[in-house]
Amino acid sequence: IREAGIPYIGITRNLKNRATEVGDWLAAHPEVTAYAILDDIAQFNPLQSKRFVKTSYEHGLREKDLRAIEAILY
């Protein structure tokens, strides 16, 4: 992500409910207003889904993912 020039600000804990993880992280970081959620599992609430980019478990972060992240952030 950094190599592509996209700022990286943090990761969530490793819980079973990813929507809760993201909600908890955002609550602890109220200064963050622009963000994208990257994961290989789609398990988010409707508001979070608008900022979600599904990555590949097999291939990791792909070029199309970087474009999707940029569309969310910029």
Side-chain angles (χ1 to χ4, degrees):
I1 294 172
R2 286 188 183 124
E3 288 176 17
I6 299 171
Y8 164 83
I9 57 172
I11 61 171
T12 61
R13 299 176 293 142
N14 190 14
L15 300 175
K16 292 183 179 188
N17 185 309
R18 285 162 163 71
T20 299
E21 291 177 45
V22 169
D24 290 351
W25 193 94
L26 289 169
H29 300 89
E31 71 281 4
V32 175
T33 57
Y35 61 93
I37 301 166
L38 311 178
D39 204 324
D40 63 343
I41 297 174
Q43 190 184 62
F44 300 97
N45 68 43
L47 289 175
Q48 294 168 336
S49 291
K50 294 176 183 178
R51 296 185 169 271
F52 171 63
V53 175
K54 188 171 189 309
T55 58
S56 168
Y57 176 78
E58 251 178 64
H59 304 287
L61 196 63
R62 299 162 291 184
E63 186 66 34
K64 72 175 192 163
D65 302 330
L66 293 172
R67 289 191 303 271
I69 294 165
E70 289 173 339
I72 292 169
L73 295 178
Y74 307 110

